[in-house]
């Protein structure tokens, strides 16, 4: 590498550490389509144990894992209720409609990342052939870095039971939520039939997600994974990175949260940046600024080896490859842009 970038665009940009690469190199492997890869089997068991679910299945990406989850709940002509800005609706290419003929019913997220259960109730369709069959409530945690309250998830699960709906969680960053709340990941997962988790975000693995859930859901999801081209062979090489991540990179997410808080506090002192501190809960900071300055700001940061993401509202994400010293550098670079100091 010619330049040591500070890359705040996403927590997906992390590279496997030396220790993780050693674990990958040493992995015992077999053919996972035959169910014979011992390392994949171990990872799936480990994820199921951590989340307190009956089973888990490895997927190539969070998009695939979410889609397998939706397909395990819904048939052609069924409907899932989901956030307007949710990854499973907005950022997955419409896969549920394309592959499952599943109709989404998007609703705006509330400011805290929840879906208002009154609005969800109003969106549940009557049992009448004019309507799609509402089958599933899909939540996201963390949602844009915000942690859903436990009491809300408990209430949502009650609601879903009363309305005969299944529950799916896009838990791409579930471990950030669990670390922030200082609860067992299973305490979050317990309200859902299916939960998708990502190994390749804050946990720092190069590839991989898991769909965790009931035995029946995971069995259906495994079939869908094959149809979606996600049946991999000696995938233990990847699973070994996932096991390493689950063993070594969960508790350290607290450092990412501390770094994000430091970053937000530093940037909030700059008058031209607008940061809602209530939304800085885990590893993401959103900073709004005058749209006219956006391009120049991005270039200014880039010239100093700093990459930031977003359009108009900047998203800055802390992760394994960002240190507290880097945060200092980022704050000073931003100050220099606005104050010329
Ligand atoms: C990243 C992400 C996913 C999965 O994305 P992939 O890039 O397909 O792994 C799902 N949900 C959320 C909220 C995400 O941030």
């Amino acid at each position: 590498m010619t330049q040591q970038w500070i890359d705040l665009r996403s927590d997906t940009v992390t590279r496997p550490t030396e220790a993780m690469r050693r674990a990958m190199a040493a992995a015992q492997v077999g053919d996972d389509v035959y169910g014979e890869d011992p390392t994949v089997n171990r990872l799936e068991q480990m994820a199921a144990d951590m989340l307190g679910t009956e089973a888990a299945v490895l997927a190539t990406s969070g998009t695939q894992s979410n889609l397998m989850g939706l397909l395990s709940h819904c048939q052609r002509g069924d409907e899932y209720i989901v956030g307007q800005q949710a990854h499973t609706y907005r950022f997955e290419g419409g896969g549920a409609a394309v592959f499952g003929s599943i109709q989404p019913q998007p609703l705006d997220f509330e400011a805290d990342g929840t879906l208002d259960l009154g609005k969800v109730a109003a969106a549940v369709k009557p049992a009448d052939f004019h309507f799609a069959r509402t089958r599933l409530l899909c939540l996201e945690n963390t949602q844009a870095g915000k942690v859903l309250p436990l009491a809300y998830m408990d209430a949502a699960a009650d609601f879903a039971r009363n309305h005969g709906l299944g529950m799916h969680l896009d838990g791409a960053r579930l471990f950030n939520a669990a670390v922030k709340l200082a609860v067992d990941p299973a305490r979050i997962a317990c309200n859902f039939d299916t939960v998708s988790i990502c190994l390749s975000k804050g946990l720092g693995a190069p590839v991989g997600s898991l769909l965790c859930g009931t035995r029946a859901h995971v069995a259906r999801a495994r079939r869908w994974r094959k149809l979606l081209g996600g049946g991999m062979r000696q995938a233990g090489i990847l699973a070994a990175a996932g096991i390493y991540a689950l063993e070594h990179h969960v508790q350290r997410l607290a450092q990412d949260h501390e770094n994000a808080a430091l970053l937000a506090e530093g940037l909030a002192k700059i008058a031209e940046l607008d940061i809602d501190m209530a939304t800085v809960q885990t590893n993401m900071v959103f900073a709004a600024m005058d749209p006219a300055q956006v391009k120049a700001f991005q270039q200014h940061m880039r010239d100093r080896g700093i990459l930031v993401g977003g359009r108009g509202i900047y998203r800055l994400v802390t992760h394994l490859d960002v240190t507290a010293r880097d945060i200092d550098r980022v704050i000073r670079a931003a100050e220099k842009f606005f104050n010329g100091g």
Side-chain angles (χ1 to χ4, degrees):
M1 252 191 310
T2 48
Q3 189 174 3
Q4 199 63 48
W5 290 98
I6 301 174
D7 193 342
L8 299 169
R9 290 172 302 168
S10 178
D11 47 10
T12 56
V13 300
T14 57
R15 301 194 189 152
T17 61
E18 284 307 317
M20 183 180 276
R21 287 170 195 257
R22 279 198 296 276
M24 295 172 78
Q28 282 189 359
V29 297
D31 190 327
D32 181 47
V33 174
Y34 293 162
E36 290 174 3
D37 189 301
T39 311
V40 171
N41 293 341
R42 217 179 112 214
L43 172 64
E44 290 177 347
Q45 189 59 55
M46 191 175 169
D49 289 345
M50 286 175 89
L51 269 66
T53 59
E54 288 176 353
V57 53
L58 177 66
T60 58
S61 67
T63 297
Q64 187 179 67
S65 169
N66 274 325
L67 180 54
M68 287 155 51
L70 298 182
L71 291 167
S72 80
H73 285 271
C74 297
Q75 311 269 331
R76 177 181 172 86
D78 289 349
E79 173 183 84
Y80 70 114
I81 297 178
V82 62
Q84 189 73 248
Q85 299 293 329
H87 206 280
T88 43
Y89 169 60
R90 193 174 175 83
F91 298 102
E92 296 181 1
V98 173
F99 296 104
S101 302
I102 307 169
Q103 165 170 291
Q105 168 61 69
L107 298 174
D108 286 331
F109 280 123
E110 301 303 307
D112 63 358
T114 63
L115 289 175
D116 180 275
L117 296 178
K119 293 178 190 168
V120 174
V124 173
K125 312 288 183 289
D128 169 327
F129 61 51
H130 288 89
F131 303 105
R133 291 175 296 255
T134 310
R135 287 298 303 273
L136 178 66
L137 176 59
C138 180
L139 299 176
E140 187 171 303
N141 195 8
T142 61
Q143 201 285 311
K146 290 170 288 193
V147 179
L148 303 193
L150 290 174
Y152 169 77
M153 284 182 289
D154 294 345
D158 269 349
F159 171 93
R161 254 189 307 277
N162 292 336
H163 287 79
L165 305 181
M167 288 277 283
H168 173 75
L169 180 66
D170 179 355
R173 298 187 179 82
L174 177 146
F175 289 100
N176 293 84
V179 165
K180 176 67 181 193
L181 292 171
V183 299
D184 209 84
R187 174 65 186 85
I188 295 174
C190 68
N191 284 312
F192 299 88
D193 307 297
T194 49
V195 179
S196 170
I197 56 169
C198 285
L199 302 168
S200 60
K201 299 274 165 89
L203 296 184
V207 180
S209 286
L210 288 133
L211 185 75
C212 307
T214 69
R215 215 168 271 120
H217 279 280
V218 169
R220 287 197 290 277
R222 207 178 269 286
R223 182 178 172 78
W224 279 114
R225 182 184 70 169
K226 186 65 185 158
L227 271 77
L228 295 170
M232 297 182 283
R233 301 297 179 177
Q234 285 70 38
I237 295 203
L238 303 174
I243 291 171
Y244 186 90
L246 289 175
E247 282 176 345
H248 297 97
H249 291 170
V250 173
Q251 288 314 315
R252 66 150 304 287
L253 291 171
Q255 282 167 247
D256 297 343
H257 302 168
E258 274 172 40
N259 284 339
L262 283 175
L263 180 62
E265 282 160 27
L267 295 180
K269 293 190 184 122
I270 300 171
E272 291 86 348
L273 290 178
D274 183 16
I275 296 175
D276 179 357
M277 294 298 281
T279 66
V280 184
Q281 299 178 14
T282 56
N283 68 334
M284 290 188 193
V285 178
F286 292 87
M289 71 175 76
D290 177 359
Q293 288 199 297
V294 161
K295 265 187 96 169
F297 177 70
Q298 200 150 341
Q299 190 58 47
H300 169 91
M301 298 301 269
R302 211 187 156 82
D303 291 344
R304 283 152 189 80
I306 299 163
L307 297 176
V308 294
R311 294 168 214 89
I313 297 179
Y314 278 107
R315 187 180 81 160
L316 304 106
V317 188
T318 56
H319 52 73
L320 193 58
D321 294 347
V322 176
T323 64
R325 273 187 57 198
D326 292 337
I327 296 298
D328 245 26
R329 257 181 67 193
V330 174
I331 295 168
R332 275 186 279 116
E335 284 169 350
K336 198 172 168 70
F337 178 78
F338 291 106
N339 307 333

PDB file of all heavy atoms in Angstrom, residues 106-124:
ATOM      1  N   PRO A 106     -43.350  -1.040   2.559  1.00  0.00           N
ATOM      2  CA  PRO A 106     -42.430  -0.197   3.324  1.00  0.00           C
ATOM      3  C   PRO A 106     -43.161   0.864   4.148  1.00  0.00           C
ATOM      4  O   PRO A 106     -44.188   1.382   3.718  1.00  0.00           O
ATOM      5  CB  PRO A 106     -41.556   0.452   2.245  1.00  0.00           C
ATOM      6  CG  PRO A 106     -42.340   0.366   0.990  1.00  0.00           C
ATOM      7  CD  PRO A 106     -43.296  -0.776   1.124  1.00  0.00           C
ATOM      8  N   LEU A 107     -42.630   1.147   5.336  1.00  0.00           N
ATOM      9  CA  LEU A 107     -43.135   2.220   6.208  1.00  0.00           C
ATOM     10  C   LEU A 107     -41.928   3.034   6.661  1.00  0.00           C
ATOM     11  O   LEU A 107     -40.844   2.482   6.823  1.00  0.00           O
ATOM     12  CB  LEU A 107     -43.814   1.623   7.454  1.00  0.00           C
ATOM     13  CG  LEU A 107     -45.040   0.734   7.252  1.00  0.00           C
ATOM     14  CD1 LEU A 107     -45.472   0.135   8.593  1.00  0.00           C
ATOM     15  CD2 LEU A 107     -46.184   1.532   6.644  1.00  0.00           C
ATOM     16  N   ASP A 108     -42.133   4.317   6.901  1.00  0.00           N
ATOM     17  CA  ASP A 108     -41.015   5.143   7.383  1.00  0.00           C
ATOM     18  C   ASP A 108     -40.571   4.670   8.761  1.00  0.00           C
ATOM     19  O   ASP A 108     -41.399   4.376   9.623  1.00  0.00           O
ATOM     20  CB  ASP A 108     -41.446   6.614   7.484  1.00  0.00           C
ATOM     21  CG  ASP A 108     -41.552   7.257   6.113  1.00  0.00           C
ATOM     22  OD1 ASP A 108     -40.809   6.821   5.205  1.00  0.00           O
ATOM     23  OD2 ASP A 108     -42.377   8.166   5.942  1.00  0.00           O
ATOM     24  N   PHE A 109     -39.255   4.628   8.958  1.00  0.00           N
ATOM     25  CA  PHE A 109     -38.730   4.397  10.299  1.00  0.00           C
ATOM     26  C   PHE A 109     -39.025   5.619  11.169  1.00  0.00           C
ATOM     27  O   PHE A 109     -39.039   6.756  10.691  1.00  0.00           O
ATOM     28  CB  PHE A 109     -37.206   4.222  10.261  1.00  0.00           C
ATOM     29  CG  PHE A 109     -36.749   2.846   9.828  1.00  0.00           C
ATOM     30  CD1 PHE A 109     -35.911   2.690   8.740  1.00  0.00           C
ATOM     31  CD2 PHE A 109     -37.125   1.720  10.546  1.00  0.00           C
ATOM     32  CE1 PHE A 109     -35.461   1.430   8.352  1.00  0.00           C
ATOM     33  CE2 PHE A 109     -36.683   0.450  10.165  1.00  0.00           C
ATOM     34  CZ  PHE A 109     -35.852   0.304   9.067  1.00  0.00           C
ATOM     35  N   GLU A 110     -39.248   5.382  12.449  1.00  0.00           N
ATOM     36  CA  GLU A 110     -39.299   6.481  13.417  1.00  0.00           C
ATOM     37  C   GLU A 110     -37.860   6.967  13.645  1.00  0.00           C
ATOM     38  O   GLU A 110     -36.892   6.311  13.233  1.00  0.00           O
ATOM     39  CB  GLU A 110     -39.911   5.997  14.737  1.00  0.00           C
ATOM     40  CG  GLU A 110     -41.321   5.436  14.600  1.00  0.00           C
ATOM     41  CD  GLU A 110     -42.304   6.432  13.989  1.00  0.00           C
ATOM     42  OE1 GLU A 110     -42.408   7.563  14.502  1.00  0.00           O
ATOM     43  OE2 GLU A 110     -42.968   6.083  12.993  1.00  0.00           O
ATOM     44  N   ALA A 111     -37.729   8.108  14.348  1.00  0.00           N
ATOM     45  CA  ALA A 111     -36.397   8.690  14.545  1.00  0.00           C
ATOM     46  C   ALA A 111     -35.460   7.733  15.275  1.00  0.00           C
ATOM     47  O   ALA A 111     -34.234   7.787  15.092  1.00  0.00           O
ATOM     48  CB  ALA A 111     -36.520  10.001  15.320  1.00  0.00           C
ATOM     49  N   ASP A 112     -36.011   6.816  16.077  1.00  0.00           N
ATOM     50  CA  ASP A 112     -35.150   5.909  16.839  1.00  0.00           C
ATOM     51  C   ASP A 112     -34.877   4.586  16.117  1.00  0.00           C
ATOM     52  O   ASP A 112     -34.315   3.659  16.698  1.00  0.00           O
ATOM     53  CB  ASP A 112     -35.751   5.642  18.226  1.00  0.00           C
ATOM     54  CG  ASP A 112     -37.107   4.949  18.171  1.00  0.00           C
ATOM     55  OD1 ASP A 112     -37.615   4.693  17.048  1.00  0.00           O
ATOM     56  OD2 ASP A 112     -37.667   4.662  19.245  1.00  0.00           O
ATOM     57  N   GLY A 113     -35.275   4.498  14.857  1.00  0.00           N
ATOM     58  CA  GLY A 113     -34.984   3.287  14.083  1.00  0.00           C
ATOM     59  C   GLY A 113     -36.028   2.198  14.219  1.00  0.00           C
ATOM     60  O   GLY A 113     -35.883   1.126  13.625  1.00  0.00           O
ATOM     61  N   THR A 114     -37.080   2.459  14.983  1.00  0.00           N
ATOM     62  CA  THR A 114     -38.158   1.470  15.127  1.00  0.00           C
ATOM     63  C   THR A 114     -39.211   1.693  14.040  1.00  0.00           C
ATOM     64  O   THR A 114     -39.237   2.744  13.387  1.00  0.00           O
ATOM     65  CB  THR A 114     -38.853   1.593  16.501  1.00  0.00           C
ATOM     66  OG1 THR A 114     -39.464   2.889  16.601  1.00  0.00           O
ATOM     67  CG2 THR A 114     -37.863   1.416  17.642  1.00  0.00           C
ATOM     68  N   LEU A 115     -40.089   0.711  13.869  1.00  0.00           N
ATOM     69  CA  LEU A 115     -41.317   0.894  13.090  1.00  0.00           C
ATOM     70  C   LEU A 115     -42.443   1.031  14.105  1.00  0.00           C
ATOM     71  O   LEU A 115     -42.598   0.178  14.989  1.00  0.00           O
ATOM     72  CB  LEU A 115     -41.572  -0.309  12.181  1.00  0.00           C
ATOM     73  CG  LEU A 115     -40.628  -0.467  10.986  1.00  0.00           C
ATOM     74  CD1 LEU A 115     -40.917  -1.774  10.245  1.00  0.00           C
ATOM     75  CD2 LEU A 115     -40.728   0.715  10.024  1.00  0.00           C
ATOM     76  N   ASP A 116     -43.214   2.104  14.002  1.00  0.00           N
ATOM     77  CA  ASP A 116     -44.321   2.333  14.928  1.00  0.00           C
ATOM     78  C   ASP A 116     -45.355   1.203  14.784  1.00  0.00           C
ATOM     79  O   ASP A 116     -45.863   0.952  13.685  1.00  0.00           O
ATOM     80  CB  ASP A 116     -44.956   3.689  14.607  1.00  0.00           C
ATOM     81  CG  ASP A 116     -46.116   3.982  15.529  1.00  0.00           C
ATOM     82  OD1 ASP A 116     -47.246   3.523  15.239  1.00  0.00           O
ATOM     83  OD2 ASP A 116     -45.879   4.646  16.556  1.00  0.00           O
ATOM     84  N   LEU A 117     -45.653   0.531  15.889  1.00  0.00           N
ATOM     85  CA  LEU A 117     -46.505  -0.663  15.794  1.00  0.00           C
ATOM     86  C   LEU A 117     -47.953  -0.302  15.449  1.00  0.00           C
ATOM     87  O   LEU A 117     -48.668  -1.112  14.855  1.00  0.00           O
ATOM     88  CB  LEU A 117     -46.422  -1.491  17.075  1.00  0.00           C
ATOM     89  CG  LEU A 117     -45.021  -2.074  17.341  1.00  0.00           C
ATOM     90  CD1 LEU A 117     -45.002  -2.844  18.667  1.00  0.00           C
ATOM     91  CD2 LEU A 117     -44.532  -2.954  16.195  1.00  0.00           C
ATOM     92  N   GLY A 118     -48.368   0.912  15.773  1.00  0.00           N
ATOM     93  CA  GLY A 118     -49.692   1.383  15.349  1.00  0.00           C
ATOM     94  C   GLY A 118     -49.753   1.493  13.828  1.00  0.00           C
ATOM     95  O   GLY A 118     -50.735   1.076  13.193  1.00  0.00           O
ATOM     96  N   LYS A 119     -48.680   2.033  13.243  1.00  0.00           N
ATOM     97  CA  LYS A 119     -48.640   2.158  11.779  1.00  0.00           C
ATOM     98  C   LYS A 119     -48.504   0.785  11.125  1.00  0.00           C
ATOM     99  O   LYS A 119     -49.068   0.543  10.048  1.00  0.00           O
ATOM    100  CB  LYS A 119     -47.472   3.059  11.360  1.00  0.00           C
ATOM    101  CG  LYS A 119     -47.662   4.513  11.796  1.00  0.00           C
ATOM    102  CD  LYS A 119     -46.474   5.382  11.415  1.00  0.00           C
ATOM    103  CE  LYS A 119     -46.582   6.748  12.081  1.00  0.00           C
ATOM    104  NZ  LYS A 119     -45.335   7.514  11.975  1.00  0.00           N
ATOM    105  N   VAL A 120     -47.761  -0.102  11.790  1.00  0.00           N
ATOM    106  CA  VAL A 120     -47.647  -1.462  11.256  1.00  0.00           C
ATOM    107  C   VAL A 120     -49.025  -2.123  11.262  1.00  0.00           C
ATOM    108  O   VAL A 120     -49.447  -2.735  10.270  1.00  0.00           O
ATOM    109  CB  VAL A 120     -46.633  -2.309  12.066  1.00  0.00           C
ATOM    110  CG1 VAL A 120     -46.642  -3.760  11.586  1.00  0.00           C
ATOM    111  CG2 VAL A 120     -45.225  -1.722  11.960  1.00  0.00           C
ATOM    112  N   ALA A 121     -49.759  -1.953  12.377  1.00  0.00           N
ATOM    113  CA  ALA A 121     -51.099  -2.561  12.482  1.00  0.00           C
ATOM    114  C   ALA A 121     -51.992  -2.073  11.349  1.00  0.00           C
ATOM    115  O   ALA A 121     -52.743  -2.862  10.748  1.00  0.00           O
ATOM    116  CB  ALA A 121     -51.717  -2.228  13.841  1.00  0.00           C
ATOM    117  N   ALA A 122     -51.892  -0.774  11.047  1.00  0.00           N
ATOM    118  CA  ALA A 122     -52.735  -0.210   9.988  1.00  0.00           C
ATOM    119  C   ALA A 122     -52.345  -0.748   8.610  1.00  0.00           C
ATOM    120  O   ALA A 122     -53.161  -0.728   7.680  1.00  0.00           O
ATOM    121  CB  ALA A 122     -52.632   1.317  10.012  1.00  0.00           C
ATOM    122  N   ALA A 123     -51.101  -1.219   8.487  1.00  0.00           N
ATOM    123  CA  ALA A 123     -50.628  -1.716   7.190  1.00  0.00           C
ATOM    124  C   ALA A 123     -50.901  -3.203   6.992  1.00  0.00           C
ATOM    125  O   ALA A 123     -50.801  -3.703   5.876  1.00  0.00           O
ATOM    126  CB  ALA A 123     -49.125  -1.438   7.045  1.00  0.00           C
ATOM    127  N   VAL A 124     -51.223  -3.925   8.084  1.00  0.00           N
ATOM    128  CA  VAL A 124     -51.524  -5.360   7.954  1.00  0.00           C
ATOM    129  C   VAL A 124     -52.829  -5.495   7.164  1.00  0.00           C
ATOM    130  O   VAL A 124     -53.842  -4.880   7.506  1.00  0.00           O
ATOM    131  CB  VAL A 124     -51.658  -6.032   9.336  1.00  0.00           C
ATOM    132  CG1 VAL A 124     -52.136  -7.484   9.186  1.00  0.00           C
ATOM    133  CG2 VAL A 124     -50.328  -5.984  10.091  1.00  0.00           C
TER     134      VAL A 124
END
